Amino acid sequence: MALKARVLYDFSSENPGEISITENELVTLFSEEELEGWLEGENSKGEAGLFPASYVEIVKDHITSSTNNNGFSSPKTKMSPTHTSYAPPESQSQRGLGAGSVGSGGGSFHTSQGSDDDWDDDWDDSSPATNAPPGLGTTPPLYPVTTSLPGRRGSAPPHQQQAKSSATVGRNLNRFSTFVKSGGEAFLLGEASAFVKDGDRICVVMGKHGPEWQEDPYPFTCTIDDPTKQTKFKGMKSYMSYGLTPMHTNVQVNRRYKHFDWLYARLVERFPVISVPHLPEKQATGRFEEDFISKRRKGLIWWMNHMTSHPVLARCDVFQHFLTCGADEKAWKLGKRKAERDELVGGNFFLTISTPDVPLDLQEVESKIEGFKSFTKRMDENSVVVNATINEFARKQITGFKKEYQKVGQSFKLLSQAFELDQQAYSVGLNKAIAYTGEAYEVIGDYFSEQPRQDLDPISDLLDLYRGHLANFPDIIHVQKGALTKVKDCPKQEGELHDRCNIISCATLAEIQHFHRTRVRDFRSQMQHHLRQQIGFFQKITSKLEDALQRYDDDQ
Amino acid sequence: MALKARVLYDFSSENPGEISITENELVTLFSEEELEGWLEGENSKGEAGLFPASYVEIVKDHITSSTNNNGFSSPKTKMSPTHTSYAPPESQSQRGLGAGSVGSGGGSFHTSQGSDDDWDDDWDDSSPATNAPPGLGTTPPLYPVTTSLPGRRGSAPPHQQQAKSSATVGRNLNRFSTFVKSGGEAFLLGEASAFVKDGDRICVVMGKHGPEWQEDPYPFTCTIDDPTKQTKFKGMKSYMSYGLTPMHTNVQVNRRYKHFDWLYARLVERFPVISVPHLPEKQATGRFEEDFISKRRKGLIWWMNHMTSHPVLARCDVFQHFLTCGADEKAWKLGKRKAERDELVGGNFFLTISTPDVPLDLQEVESKIEGFKSFTKRMDENSVVVNATINEFARKQITGFKKEYQKVGQSFKLLSQAFELDQQAYSVGLNKAIAYTGEAYEVIGDYFSEQPRQDLDPISDLLDLYRGHLANFPDIIHVQKGALTKVKDCPKQEGELHDRCNIISCATLAEIQHFHRTRVRDFRSQMQHHLRQQIGFFQKITSKLEDALQRYDDDQ
């Protein structure tokens, strides 16, 4: 049976290779696999070519039509576009720490959307990575990351497709821009509408340094315990379970990586201008190996800290559900469905925002955004260099430095061995002292090889996390810029358009502000940690050497 | 005119290529140049081939015969055999510290004999190295050094050529052995005779660990000041002059390197079983360069310490003359001539030795000597490894370690530069702190590159000095073994032969004892110095890092 898809929205071909399709038309698909957001097929006129995958819904034999379908029916096509992978080129796996280095390295993040049906499956079995179209997510471009924001289900064109189109402001010509897909354009054009409860309201306030998210009145943190291995289906399947204990409830809940993954997907579609921290990379094999488990836990702790310290993310319903819902399977599924049916996603998110009384000066906003764009570009570029350098430095310490100190240690031992051939009583003390010095140098070699794990790896982890954020910002900036461009294009000063642009700008600037504050906090504390560790390291060496020095006094 | 030589002693050819020559025969030389102690020529029978250079005397047109000639007439042949060069393979020049690395590296020692005629010439102009026969002293073999002891004028066969030959003990078959050349054989056979003053007497006493040199009742040290550049012939010639201040006179005298060189040659011929410390290497070019001057001065200080701490060397006339004779040119020349005409050289040295009352057990001596032989072999082998290792370690610190720390420093600076694009007031403190941390790492890189000079180079220098001693011992042991073998070969117990063998054994064991004591003292103090320096080094790094850490508190 030929694979069919129903067209949800009109699309006019603009480039060679594309074909035009019309709402409600049935098209034949050549393949279910998307290529960078496009599907290939034939329209009812018999023209073959590409059209945007998000403009159609695949028709399975038992499905004929669905007007309020806000998703995709096939788990495959559902999963594919929601998978993104961000692998900084300097991942720790390049260190060549030995055999068994698994997966694609340390710095990758990914997300995939869960579904009710496969919720209980082990996520590794339905790894979306294997379904990803070729060229997608395998070698993501360096900065700027211009791929579309993934997993934002709300970014599908709104239901009110036939809604009042503003007389003066046209739609964005580039229908696949993040501005369109995020729902930003729809919101700006007044096409977004949803019921916003008081609890959903998010306030941007004017702080000393510009707009900022209102502080969480009830800040909390959440610990993540060492994961334990769980089995099910009589031991047929096994998975790691993390015990999370949020401080505001002090009740531990157990979560698996796929729960984090599902949560991440919800957050990404929910908040178009918030940089949701990337999860530590997924890994198909070796996931019960100690190194990987410890690395993932560290990554999840970083992730959790970024979540709980974000005033908007920390408070949001789906995250709270994730943190507080206990072992009651029913309650969990209820909250899960609620989150998946949340209307306040994408463009509707902006409906929840309260802004300061005085609107922002758009010129100023533009210059701030431009400044931030340069900042992220430079930070990303330089982070690559820093990460490469400290990883190389770590590698040198683990291999070269260690080897040098051990070689010196061994040579001192050789000297002492030669000296031992002299059986004079008065040389025994010296021989032992030199032998001990040799051992001390060997130990110092070990110190060097153990140290990077303590004080370089954490910096590398932090840089990875931040490069995840940096990869989020081009899309966030795109939404704001899209709004700004639209408003500038508008010949008449449309009050409402301006207000809505102000909302987007306030949210964007608040998020940027939050990014900077977190960045300053994180880098300060990590650099302090690094230096304290280094100081302790060199003191350890010093005391080892002092120990050796004393041996020379013993028989003076 | 054909070059002629008069044969001083019979020599029977033992190998192909050699020719036999007879006392008083005149032979024709093909060349004045010796090749490893051999000359090539034709005897009166018309046979052409090799014969030992020391068995003939070259006949210059105005010289016809000289029965008591104890030297050579040509400065060329005089200089050639007295030049030895000892270059450990791991010299510092291999570190590749940059361009301009001069000469053949740090670890070479040499000696050459002075003469009245060229005394005032700059030594570099008459460098014996240029006259050395090919293959001699250029690439000396590694351990064991089996080349004949150079510069021991007294080792020429004794005047009393026709002396009473012991009925039971024959001459050594190998006429070129150190035993013969050192005069050890002549002494053993009772052929040595000279007038020994009380002041010349050298006592070997029985100490706790065996025979040892009687301690110098008036020990002293001698400082060597930074050398100053002197000129003569109206600035045509220039040389470096070192101010020596021996503590027992506290009067400074000025000496040039060539004076040390002359002294060294005197000492080597004077003391057949004493290990005269090698002088720091001679260098033809760049000898006014700061690095070389400082290195030579360090080497001379080491040399001087070994001289003054040796009970026999410290006390001997020629050394005292060297240390105490002032600017009076006449007095200097007088002492110089006296030293050069000293009769108590070579085998006669043993005439000056007083031994403990109870003779040594020759079996025990033999076993001790064997043990020491193994010791020196192992110490030499392992010293090569140690020296190579620490020189490589020094090179790594100067290049690799420095570069790594500087790269980390630069990358932190890059991070801070990226962060500076954010003009938020609250990030200024962090930016500065990170920039400072970057600088701190660069400084630490410099620390690493400066450190080897403080604590690795001295060990390398010490090892070089000791490898010089180790190169001396095979010949010293050879003298003792020659005596022992001769005594063992003697069917009857000849009292006098035994007594003389006992003298040689006592002196040898005393010298070995002295070597061990000095070695233990030197290596203990050098290892302590090394460790103290390393401790200081790591403390310096620690405090630099603490400094950096503080910067993060400034605006907390």
Side-chain angles (χ1 to χ4, degrees):
Chain A
M1 188 195 109
L3 195 61
K4 295 279 184 184
R6 175 174 304 279
V7 178
L8 299 171
Y9 320 104
D10 289 356
F11 168 73
S12 301
S13 78
E14 287 167 3
N15 295 300
E18 299 172 4
I19 53 171
S20 296
I21 50 178
T22 319
E23 193 180 349
N24 282 324
E25 183 182 350
L26 267 181
V27 293
T28 307
L29 297 182
F30 296 163
S31 161
E32 220 172 306
E33 285 204 340
E34 287 180 35
L35 188 63
E36 295 183 333
W38 297 81
L39 283 169
E40 201 173 3
E42 193 182 290
N43 62 14
S44 52
K45 294 179 200 150
E47 297 162 349
L50 297 166
F51 47 86
S54 55
Y55 275 46
V56 304
E57 99 183 301
I58 293 171
V59 183
K60 295 286 176 189
D61 37 12
H62 61 279
I63 297 171
T64 50
S65 168
S66 158
T67 49
N68 67 345
N69 186 341
N70 66 348
F72 305 87
S73 315
S74 152
K76 268 200 170 173
T77 50
K78 173 155 56 187
M79 306 286 278
S80 301
T82 61
H83 177 268
T84 182
S85 165
Y86 180 70
E90 277 63 43
S91 65
Q92 295 182 325
S93 67
Q94 291 187 328
R95 273 188 210 158
L97 298 185
S101 178
V102 278
S104 60
S108 300
F109 297 89
H110 89 108
T111 171
S112 69
Q113 229 175 354
S115 81
D116 281 337
D117 314 299
D118 68 350
W119 182 257
D120 288 322
D121 292 349
D122 201 299
W123 54 259
D124 286 314
D125 299 338
S126 57
S127 167
T130 57
N131 296 327
L136 234 194
T138 47
T139 49
L142 260 186
Y143 194 97
V145 178
T146 51
T147 53
S148 60
L149 260 191
R152 295 199 165 146
R153 263 209 302 202
S155 65
H159 321 156
Q160 308 96 323
Q161 221 269 339
Q162 66 284 34
K164 39 161 183 150
S165 185
S166 167
T168 49
V169 183
R171 288 187 167 276
N172 195 316
L173 285 178
N174 178 2
R175 290 176 165 99
F176 312 110
S177 82
T178 310
F179 181 46
V180 176
K181 294 184 84 184
S182 70
E185 186 189 46
F187 169 74
L188 193 79
L189 298 180
E191 291 166 358
S193 88
F195 178 69
V196 179
K197 300 190 304 288
D198 266 3
D200 293 326
R201 202 149 294 283
I202 293 162
C203 285
V204 174
V205 298
M206 188 50 72
K208 197 172 147 197
H209 305 284
E212 55 189 48
W213 300 116
Q214 190 167 47
E215 266 186 43
D216 187 351
Y218 309 108
F220 65 95
T221 55
C222 177
T223 59
I224 300 182
D225 290 336
D226 274 330
T228 50
K229 195 169 179 174
Q230 310 284 335
T231 54
K232 58 179 184 177
F233 302 142
K234 295 175 182 163
M236 295 273 287
K237 292 222 171 199
S238 56
Y239 56 91
M240 302 306 297
S241 175
Y242 299 82
L244 315 186
T245 313
M247 289 305 142
H248 60 320
T249 62
N250 211 21
V251 175
Q252 179 172 315
V253 297
N254 292 309
R255 295 288 176 258
R256 293 173 55 185
Y257 182 83
K258 71 168 189 182
H259 299 147
F260 283 90
D261 205 30
W262 170 83
L263 171 63
Y264 175 79
R266 297 288 80 63
L267 295 169
V268 164
E269 70 180 7
R270 178 78 168 79
F271 301 111
V273 292
I274 286 179
S275 174
V276 181
H278 290 198
L279 285 170
E281 88 170 311
K282 159 184 245 170
Q283 173 167 299
T285 56
R287 63 199 160 93
F288 300 122
E289 283 168 20
E290 213 170 303
D291 252 23
F292 170 68
I293 289 165
S294 138
K295 194 171 163 49
R296 170 171 279 180
R297 180 172 160 256
K298 274 199 306 177
L300 288 177
I301 290 171
W302 270 117
W303 183 86
M304 185 58 86
N305 287 343
H306 269 221
M307 285 298 296
T308 57
S309 67
H310 195 293
V312 177
L313 296 176
R315 279 174 53 205
C316 81
D317 287 347
V318 62
F319 184 49
Q320 287 297 330
H321 175 65
F322 173 85
L323 287 179
T324 57
C325 185
D328 180 351
E329 191 73 8
K330 223 171 166 182
W332 171 257
K333 289 216 171 178
L334 209 67
K336 185 171 171 296
R337 293 231 169 80
K338 189 176 157 232
E340 284 165 5
R341 284 170 188 156
D342 189 355
E343 285 220 309
L344 296 175
V345 298
N348 287 357
F349 159 75
F350 295 110
L351 297 172
T352 66
I353 305 250
S354 305
T355 59
D357 292 340
V358 184
L360 301 174
D361 176 78
L362 289 193
Q363 206 94 51
E364 212 176 291
V365 171
E366 194 172 12
S367 124
K368 277 191 177 181
I369 296 279
E370 273 308 313
F372 184 68
K373 212 174 139 184
S374 311
F375 172 86
T376 53
K377 188 168 182 309
R378 180 73 75 89
M379 179 170 169
D380 189 68
E381 286 165 359
N382 291 9
S383 294
V384 172
V385 178
V386 177
N387 219 353
T389 305
I390 65 176
N391 279 318
E392 176 61 15
F393 186 48
R395 198 183 65 80
K396 284 270 167 66
Q397 288 191 51
I398 291 168
T399 58
F401 283 44
K402 174 182 180 174
K403 211 172 65 196
E404 286 307 315
Y405 278 92
Q406 288 192 333
K407 268 160 53 185
V408 171
Q410 282 154 14
S411 83
F412 282 151
K413 280 180 163 180
L414 273 184
L415 191 65
S416 121
Q417 281 160 22
F419 283 5
E420 273 162 22
L421 286 190
D422 165 36
Q423 294 298 322
Q424 314 275 17
Y426 56 75
S427 75
V428 173
L430 175 67
N431 301 348
K432 284 189 185 159
I434 295 179
Y436 187 87
T437 307
E439 277 163 36
Y441 269 90
E442 288 180 332
V443 169
I444 290 170
D446 289 336
Y447 289 171
F448 266 102
S449 76
E450 289 156 8
Q451 195 53 25
R453 184 186 287 262
Q454 307 303 326
D455 57 21
L456 289 175
D457 287 3
I459 295 185
S460 184
D461 292 344
L462 184 67
L463 288 169
D464 281 346
L465 184 77
Y466 269 86
R467 293 194 66 213
H469 280 303
L470 294 174
N472 289 339
F473 273 104
D475 279 343
I476 292 172
I477 289 173
H478 204 82
V479 172
Q480 196 280 332
K481 283 204 146 191
L484 206 64
T485 310
K486 198 129 277 189
V487 169
K488 278 206 225 152
D489 287 351
C490 166
K492 283 190 257 160
Q493 293 288 324
E494 271 204 37
E496 276 190 22
L497 207 65
H498 260 259
D499 288 351
R500 288 192 289 264
C501 180
N502 186 54
I503 287 174
I504 294 178
S505 300
C506 280
T508 307
L509 288 186
E511 182 59 15
I512 290 174
Q513 186 76 236
H514 177 75
F515 170 84
H516 279 315
R517 284 198 185 278
T518 314
R519 173 182 62 81
V520 169
R521 176 200 68 182
D522 286 348
F523 279 88
R524 164 172 284 126
S525 85
Q526 204 48 250
M527 289 301 287
Q528 284 174 323
H529 170 82
H530 171 79
L531 287 170
R532 284 195 196 102
Q533 279 285 335
Q534 280 278 299
I535 289 166
F537 165 64
F538 284 115
Q539 281 169 342
K540 208 164 65 173
I541 292 178
T542 303
S543 82
K544 193 79 203 164
L545 293 169
E546 278 165 348
D547 211 14
L549 179 59
Q550 269 193 343
R551 306 291 168 131
Y552 291 84
D553 298 329
D554 283 1
D555 66 338
Q556 277 285 41
Chain B
M1 191 195 106
L3 196 59
K4 295 277 184 187
R6 175 176 302 279
V7 178
L8 298 172
Y9 319 105
D10 289 355
F11 168 74
S12 301
S13 77
E14 287 166 4
N15 295 299
E18 299 172 4
I19 54 172
S20 296
I21 49 178
T22 319
E23 193 180 348
N24 279 322
E25 184 182 351
L26 266 181
V27 293
T28 307
L29 297 183
F30 297 164
S31 161
E32 219 172 309
E33 285 202 343
E34 286 178 37
L35 188 61
E36 296 181 332
W38 296 80
L39 281 169
E40 201 173 3
E42 192 180 292
N43 64 14
S44 51
K45 294 180 200 151
E47 294 162 339
L50 297 168
F51 48 86
S54 54
Y55 275 47
V56 303
E57 99 182 301
I58 294 173
V59 182
K60 295 285 175 189
D61 37 10
H62 61 278
I63 295 170
T64 50
S65 168
S66 157
T67 47
N68 67 347
N69 186 342
N70 67 348
F72 307 86
S73 317
S74 149
K76 264 196 172 177
T77 50
K78 172 156 57 188
M79 306 287 279
S80 300
T82 60
H83 177 269
T84 182
S85 164
Y86 180 70
E90 277 62 44
S91 64
Q92 294 183 326
S93 68
Q94 290 186 328
R95 276 190 206 155
L97 298 184
S101 178
V102 277
S104 62
S108 300
F109 297 89
H110 90 108
T111 170
S112 69
Q113 229 173 354
S115 82
D116 283 334
D117 314 300
D118 67 352
W119 181 258
D120 287 324
D121 291 352
D122 201 299
W123 55 258
D124 286 314
D125 299 338
S126 58
S127 167
T130 57
N131 296 329
L136 235 196
T138 48
T139 49
L142 258 186
Y143 194 97
V145 178
T146 52
T147 54
S148 60
L149 260 191
R152 295 201 166 144
R153 262 209 302 203
S155 64
H159 321 156
Q160 305 95 322
Q161 223 266 340
Q162 66 284 36
K164 40 163 180 149
S165 186
S166 167
T168 49
V169 183
R171 291 191 164 274
N172 195 317
L173 284 177
N174 179 0
R175 291 178 165 98
F176 313 110
S177 80
T178 309
F179 180 45
V180 176
K181 296 184 83 184
S182 70
E185 186 188 46
F187 169 73
L188 193 78
L189 300 181
E191 291 167 354
S193 87
F195 178 68
V196 179
K197 300 188 306 287
D198 265 5
D200 292 328
R201 200 149 294 283
I202 294 162
C203 284
V204 175
V205 297
M206 187 52 71
K208 196 172 148 196
H209 306 285
E212 55 189 45
W213 301 116
Q214 189 167 47
E215 268 187 40
D216 187 351
Y218 309 109
F220 65 94
T221 54
C222 177
T223 58
I224 300 182
D225 290 337
D226 277 330
T228 51
K229 195 170 178 173
Q230 309 285 335
T231 55
K232 58 180 184 177
F233 301 142
K234 294 176 183 163
M236 294 275 286
K237 292 226 170 200
S238 55
Y239 56 91
M240 303 305 297
S241 176
Y242 298 83
L244 315 186
T245 312
M247 288 307 142
H248 60 321
T249 63
N250 211 22
V251 175
Q252 179 172 316
V253 297
N254 292 309
R255 296 289 176 257
R256 293 171 57 184
Y257 181 83
K258 71 169 188 182
H259 298 147
F260 283 90
D261 205 28
W262 171 83
L263 171 62
Y264 176 78
R266 296 289 77 66
L267 297 168
V268 164
E269 69 181 8
R270 178 77 169 79
F271 301 110
V273 292
I274 286 179
S275 174
V276 181
H278 290 198
L279 284 171
E281 85 169 315
K282 158 183 245 169
Q283 175 168 299
T285 55
R287 65 200 158 95
F288 301 122
E289 282 167 22
E290 215 170 301
D291 253 22
F292 170 69
I293 290 165
S294 138
K295 193 169 164 49
R296 168 169 281 179
R297 181 174 159 255
K298 273 198 309 176
L300 289 177
I301 289 171
W302 270 117
W303 183 86
M304 185 58 85
N305 288 342
H306 269 221
M307 285 298 297
T308 57
S309 67
H310 195 293
V312 178
L313 295 177
R315 278 175 52 207
C316 79
D317 286 347
V318 60
F319 184 49
Q320 287 297 330
H321 175 63
F322 173 85
L323 288 178
T324 57
C325 185
D328 180 352
E329 190 74 7
K330 225 173 169 179
W332 172 257
K333 288 215 169 175
L334 207 67
K336 186 171 171 293
R337 292 231 168 81
K338 189 177 157 231
E340 283 165 7
R341 285 171 188 158
D342 191 354
E343 286 221 308
L344 297 174
V345 298
N348 289 355
F349 160 74
F350 295 111
L351 299 173
T352 66
I353 307 255
S354 306
T355 59
D357 292 339
V358 182
L360 301 173
D361 176 77
L362 288 192
Q363 207 95 52
E364 211 177 291
V365 171
E366 194 172 12
S367 124
K368 276 192 178 182
I369 296 280
E370 274 309 311
F372 185 67
K373 210 174 140 185
S374 312
F375 172 86
T376 53
K377 188 168 184 306
R378 181 73 75 87
M379 178 170 169
D380 190 69
E381 285 165 0
N382 291 10
S383 292
V384 172
V385 178
V386 177
N387 217 354
T389 307
I390 64 175
N391 278 318
E392 175 62 15
F393 187 48
R395 198 184 65 79
K396 284 272 167 65
Q397 288 191 51
I398 291 168
T399 56
F401 283 43
K402 175 181 179 176
K403 209 171 67 194
E404 287 308 314
Y405 279 92
Q406 288 192 331
K407 268 159 55 184
V408 172
Q410 281 154 13
S411 83
F412 282 151
K413 279 182 164 177
L414 273 183
L415 191 65
S416 120
Q417 279 160 22
F419 283 6
E420 273 162 21
L421 287 188
D422 165 35
Q423 295 296 322
Q424 312 277 17
Y426 56 77
S427 73
V428 173
L430 175 68
N431 300 348
K432 283 188 186 160
I434 295 179
Y436 187 87
T437 307
E439 277 163 37
Y441 270 90
E442 287 180 333
V443 169
I444 290 170
D446 289 335
Y447 289 171
F448 266 101
S449 77
E450 289 155 10
Q451 194 54 26
R453 181 185 288 262
Q454 307 302 324
D455 57 21
L456 290 175
D457 287 2
I459 295 186
S460 183
D461 292 344
L462 184 67
L463 289 168
D464 281 346
L465 184 75
Y466 270 87
R467 292 195 68 213
H469 281 303
L470 294 174
N472 289 339
F473 273 104
D475 280 343
I476 292 171
I477 290 171
H478 204 81
V479 172
Q480 197 279 332
K481 284 203 146 194
L484 206 62
T485 310
K486 199 129 276 192
V487 169
K488 279 203 228 158
D489 287 350
C490 169
K492 288 188 254 164
Q493 292 288 323
E494 273 204 37
E496 277 191 20
L497 207 67
H498 260 261
D499 287 351
R500 287 192 289 264
C501 180
N502 187 53
I503 287 175
I504 294 179
S505 300
C506 280
T508 307
L509 288 186
E511 182 59 15
I512 290 174
Q513 186 75 237
H514 178 74
F515 171 82
H516 279 316
R517 284 200 184 278
T518 314
R519 174 182 60 81
V520 169
R521 175 199 69 182
D522 286 348
F523 278 88
R524 165 173 283 126
S525 86
Q526 203 49 249
M527 289 301 288
Q528 285 175 322
H529 170 83
H530 171 78
L531 288 170
R532 285 196 196 101
Q533 279 286 335
Q534 280 279 299
I535 289 165
F537 165 65
F538 285 116
Q539 281 170 342
K540 207 164 66 172
I541 293 178
T542 304
S543 83
K544 192 80 204 168
L545 293 168
E546 277 166 347
D547 209 17
L549 179 59
Q550 270 195 341
R551 306 290 167 130
Y552 292 84
D553 299 328
D554 283 359
D555 67 336
Q556 278 284 42

